[in-house]
Amino acid sequence: MGEVNAGKSAAAAYVAGLGGYASGCAAMTGDRYANVREPITIGSITARNRIMMATHGPRLPQQRYLRYLEERAKGGIGLAGFNLGPLGLMQFPFGPGRASPPGSEMLDGVPHHPLSKEGRESYDKLVPIISEWIQAVKPHGVRAVGQLYHPGAAQHGDTFQPVVSSSPISDEYDKQRAHPLTGTEIGDLIEAYRLAAERAVKTGVDALELHGAHGYLIQQFLSPLFNRRTDEWGGPFENRIRFLLQVLAAVREGAGDEVPVGLRLTGPEPEGGLTTDDLIQVAKRLEQEGASYISISGGSYSGLWKGAKNAYVPSAMSEWGPNVGTARAVHEAVSIPVMVSGAIATLDQAEQILSEGSADIVCMVRALMADAELVSKGLSGGSVRETRPCIGGNECHYGRPLACAVNPRAGREDEFDFTPVKAPRRVLVAGGGPAGIECAAAAAERGHVVLLIERETVLGGTLVPLMKASQQARFGDYLDHAKARLDALPVEIRLGTELDEEIVRSWKPDVIALATGAVWTDPIGTPAPAAIADIDNAASNVTVIGGRDDHLGPLVTADYFAASGRQVTLLTETAYPGQGVEAASFYALMRRLAERGVEIRPFTAVAGREQGALVLRNTLTNEADRIETPGTVIDIESRYAESDLVSRFSNLGVEFHVIGDALAPRRMVHATLDGVRLGAQIE
């Protein structure tokens, strides 16, 4: 499992002591979520409950985003966060060039300076657009919180503008050396915060939040790890906090006295950075200066910061609630409300945090992507298994439009507005992996008669070995939910059943959906699922053939066998394995491979076997090499789309579809989307 966020040992011990949420559930009596459902006052506003959908960017077009927001507002959240940095704060030019025309969306264009006449006019025009976001949630009883932030050196993408910071440092993920802000530029930025706050209030937000976490600009001034200045903006604590205090004052002036202003504050930093005591000092000072709340969210974008630690969107390898201990320490030191976020995936976890006095409000994002109705289902007495669980795969946190592996409808709500079918059809779904499960459920929800068959004795497909190899049970949580969901629908399930002519003749389907997964064709070693299932018979040394697979498979398999004490060599034809894995999961897994002594050989393809040896080829030079004693050889890549069953059953005069890995071997996020899309289109 991943580390608890660095900081005071007491805070870390507290989080470790929380363990799983089951023990907390057992102690709950009466109203299971009494603390979650309790209203809370923040400054001049009151939220209907203690769950906030924290600020995040699903990267959706306007209409899809509005529907996404509306569904989660109707789903029962108390507060929702919005990124209002675009209101003339994030687009701050620091280099030469003529500003882009008003309304231009060129990512490489020079933005208007927010203090210029053209800039003020340009950013004022964004107010009506963002107002639509706010109006998507407020009619449903949700309080809207607008977040103002500048990323500083953590820009996460090349805009052809220089990154800036307190000092000429570089972010460990972005790696660009920052331009150190001059005193004049700092003053301009503070004024830009004030103007952004004025615009934010016009959008209709109920509260504002300054972002001082995740390695962004305010944190880059606060932290001695970033701030190396020797003028009035750096050095001792009073100088390093000066930028934050002046920004807070400017934002409060721009927002007016009736709009609460809070701060999202980082967790403890690595050695030499901000400690828990420092954060308590910051929180107390902010309370004195009129801040209305503190929100604790630790980690950087990738988690790579003097060693790979928790990212601010923790991977599945992380313990749940890594920031809870820090939040509790701050909560005990201030009287204003304290929020906490980070790997909190269930209402049971939220209730435990609230009941133990660690925070006043719990922030979630991924759990609400997985199930927009998480809050309303829980507060209305629904069972845990009725809620789609977040499995922490971080496909959603990927630098592209939102994609949730367990909920393909997230961000696609309009596409999947299911309407009952006028004439139900008999739908035979062959394959009980993610694609087959979602197809069967979607078809049944629309009124079709569905038979789901699976050749194995359990549902899950490739998730079953992956659940074992990844050493965490979140894939199992999805399968538990899927089984409960199918049980509640008119879906007949037959396990241990192959697709053959007899079942087609006897059941007489109108539609066949082939979701039987990929097949292993001429593997050089043992296919990964079989090797994982038979780990006890593996040799003391293991060679994993990663091939061109750039996602989790090679990393997770190598990690699983290394954790058993075996010496593992991982071969990859690429520069490094896992190139397609999002940063938080990638660095967490690569750290584990390093700690467990896994040898990684890049640019290495396997040409074949000779008398037990592996014959290798360098993918850059074509130079030959060998591994004479490879031990147990595990093949990751020799997976191909189903072809035999397609040729046997596609010409029976029955409507025939192929989905998931049977169509093309990909990932869970693709399989579940295939399944729902097919289930939605069968008429």
Side-chain angles (χ1 to χ4, degrees):
M1 301 295 287
E3 289 188 356
V4 172
N5 220 6
K8 272 195 166 182
S9 59
Y14 171 74
V15 175
L18 287 177
Y21 62 81
S23 60
C25 297
M28 295 175 194
T29 59
D31 184 353
R32 183 175 187 176
Y33 302 119
N35 290 285
V36 168
R37 73 169 72 249
E38 185 180 353
I40 182 168
T41 297
I42 305 170
S44 60
I45 67 170
T46 299
R48 63 183 175 183
N49 62 47
R50 304 297 181 100
I51 300 298
M52 177 176 178
M53 182 172 71
T55 302
H56 61 291
R59 300 177 177 87
L60 298 173
Q62 182 80 345
Q63 291 308 310
R64 282 174 62 180
Y65 184 42
L66 295 178
R67 180 67 187 277
Y68 169 83
L69 292 170
E70 182 182 20
E71 291 302 310
R72 279 138 193 89
K74 292 193 296 186
I77 57 174
L79 304 100
F82 298 89
N83 174 16
L84 302 192
L87 289 176
L89 187 58
M90 293 170 61
Q91 320 94 313
F92 203 112
F94 288 97
R98 181 179 299 170
S100 304
S104 171
E105 296 181 357
M106 294 187 298
L107 293 178
D108 59 348
V110 178
H112 288 284
H113 196 291
L115 305 189
S116 69
K117 177 179 180 293
E118 295 81 7
R120 292 170 190 255
E121 293 174 350
S122 177
Y123 302 125
D124 285 346
K125 293 177 181 178
L126 295 178
V127 170
I129 297 172
I130 292 177
S131 294
E132 293 183 357
W133 306 352
I134 310 307
Q135 290 308 311
V137 302
K138 290 187 71 171
H140 303 287
V142 176
R143 291 296 195 175
V145 180
Q147 186 183 86
L148 300 176
Y149 90 101
H150 191 289
Q155 189 167 263
H156 306 331
D158 191 358
T159 65
F160 290 82
Q161 287 285 306
V163 300
V164 300
S165 186
S166 57
S167 304
I169 51 90
S170 59
D171 176 81
E172 290 199 42
Y173 180 79
D174 284 294
K175 304 177 183 66
Q176 297 182 55
R177 185 69 64 182
H179 160 68
L181 291 165
T182 66
T184 299
E185 290 166 342
I186 291 172
D188 286 350
L189 262 176
I190 292 170
E191 176 63 8
Y193 268 99
R194 187 187 69 79
L195 293 173
E198 286 185 355
R199 295 187 187 99
V201 172
K202 294 176 183 177
T203 69
V205 295
D206 299 295
L208 292 177
E209 177 176 280
L210 303 180
H211 203 328
H214 302 174
Y216 296 152
L217 186 61
I218 287 177
Q219 184 179 345
Q220 290 163 24
F221 271 90
L222 273 175
S223 170
L225 287 180
F226 290 110
N227 191 336
R228 301 165 190 175
R229 302 176 76 103
T230 57
D231 60 6
E232 68 270 29
W233 303 102
F237 176 79
E238 282 299 321
N239 286 357
R240 287 184 284 110
I241 200 174
R242 190 185 309 277
F243 179 69
L244 168 57
L245 294 181
Q246 292 198 17
V247 167
L248 175 62
V251 167
R252 293 189 67 205
E253 178 185 345
D257 295 337
E258 296 302 312
V259 179
V261 180
L263 173 77
R264 175 164 261 199
L265 187 61
T266 185
E269 296 177 337
E271 183 179 357
L274 295 167
T275 66
T276 302
D277 285 340
D278 293 330
L279 299 174
I280 290 172
Q281 187 179 4
V282 172
K284 286 182 173 180
R285 184 65 176 274
L286 288 170
E287 182 178 21
Q288 294 171 5
E289 299 295 331
S292 297
Y293 70 86
I294 301 292
S295 180
I296 300 296
S297 180
S300 62
Y301 178 79
S302 63
L304 184 64
W305 197 12
K306 289 196 172 183
K309 299 177 174 62
N310 275 327
Y312 71 77
V313 182
S315 71
M317 281 70 75
S318 169
E319 298 280 0
W320 80 268
N323 302 312
V324 174
T326 304
R328 180 167 186 165
V330 171
H331 190 248
E332 292 173 347
V334 298
S335 59
I336 54 178
V338 171
M339 304 178 180
V340 66
S341 63
I344 302 166
T346 70
L347 279 193
D348 288 312
Q349 292 170 348
E351 179 67 20
Q352 184 170 338
I353 291 166
L354 296 169
S355 65
E356 295 183 354
S358 297
D360 301 291
I361 297 170
V362 173
C363 300
M364 297 176 165
V365 174
R366 290 176 294 173
L368 294 165
M369 292 178 178
D371 196 324
E373 299 176 328
L374 178 147
V375 178
S376 59
K377 285 178 179 177
L379 297 188
S380 63
S383 73
V384 171
R385 293 182 73 184
E386 290 178 17
T387 302
R388 282 182 187 255
C390 173
I391 62 173
N394 278 5
E395 291 280 9
C396 53
H397 186 61
Y398 216 80
R400 64 179 182 204
L402 166 64
C404 177
V406 302
N407 182 15
R409 304 180 195 190
R412 302 183 181 90
E413 286 80 8
D414 284 340
E415 179 181 350
F416 297 125
D417 260 339
F418 286 177
T419 54
V421 294
K422 296 178 180 178
R425 304 176 75 190
R426 295 172 67 80
V427 179
L428 171 59
V429 180
I437 287 170
E438 294 296 336
C439 180
E445 286 173 1
R446 298 184 58 234
H448 292 299
V449 178
V450 180
L451 170 63
L452 173 61
I453 64 173
E454 164 58 43
R455 65 166 64 99
E456 303 296 337
T457 57
V458 295
L459 293 177
T462 55
L463 293 189
V464 176
L466 185 58
M467 179 173 61
K468 181 178 180 181
S470 60
Q471 302 174 69
Q472 44 84 27
R474 298 199 198 181
F475 293 107
D477 292 343
Y478 167 76
L479 292 178
D480 286 344
H481 163 75
K483 292 170 187 174
R485 183 173 165 219
L486 292 173
D487 287 345
L489 291 167
V491 176
E492 180 185 353
I493 301 174
R494 299 182 192 176
L495 300 176
T497 303
E498 293 270 4
L499 176 64
D500 57 24
E501 287 82 357
E502 174 57 31
I503 199 168
V504 174
R505 281 195 299 268
S506 62
W507 201 72
K508 297 181 174 59
D510 300 303
V511 180
I512 297 175
L514 188 69
T516 50
V519 293
W520 294 80
T521 303
D522 298 325
I524 294 175
T526 305
I532 290 166
D534 194 32
I535 187 173
D536 291 341
N537 291 318
S540 60
N541 65 307
V542 171
T543 303
V544 178
I545 303 174
R548 298 189 185 96
D549 190 320
D550 71 346
H551 213 255
L552 287 172
L555 298 176
V556 166
T557 304
D559 181 57
Y560 181 57
F561 281 86
S564 70
R566 291 170 170 83
Q567 180 58 50
V568 177
T569 300
L570 173 56
L571 312 179
T572 177
E573 295 187 28
T574 62
Y576 56 87
Q579 288 180 335
V581 179
E582 61 83 31
S585 300
F586 171 73
Y587 287 122
L589 272 168
M590 289 293 282
R591 172 178 174 164
R592 289 217 306 221
L593 297 187
E595 291 173 339
R596 291 170 174 169
V598 173
E599 179 189 2
I600 298 175
R601 297 186 61 171
F603 301 118
T604 302
V606 177
R609 301 192 74 163
E610 290 181 356
Q611 299 177 342
L614 279 182
V615 180
L616 309 179
R617 176 181 63 84
N618 185 286
T619 58
L620 296 178
T621 66
N622 269 334
E623 182 180 354
D625 198 356
R626 296 168 67 91
I627 298 179
E628 296 294 343
T629 55
T632 297
V633 178
I634 302 173
D635 195 315
I636 297 292
E637 197 191 31
S638 298
R639 299 169 62 237
Y640 295 88
E642 181 65 80
S643 57
D644 291 345
L645 291 178
V646 173
S647 61
R648 284 175 58 192
F649 292 96
S650 60
N651 298 314
L652 297 179
V654 177
E655 184 179 330
F656 189 83
H657 302 273
V658 186
I659 56 176
D661 283 358
L663 179 64
R666 290 161 292 164
R667 305 197 296 277
M668 181 180 176
V669 70
H670 304 116
T672 54
L673 180 57
D674 275 6
V676 174
R677 279 182 164 161
L678 178 57
Q681 81 179 46
I682 296 173
E683 297 292 348

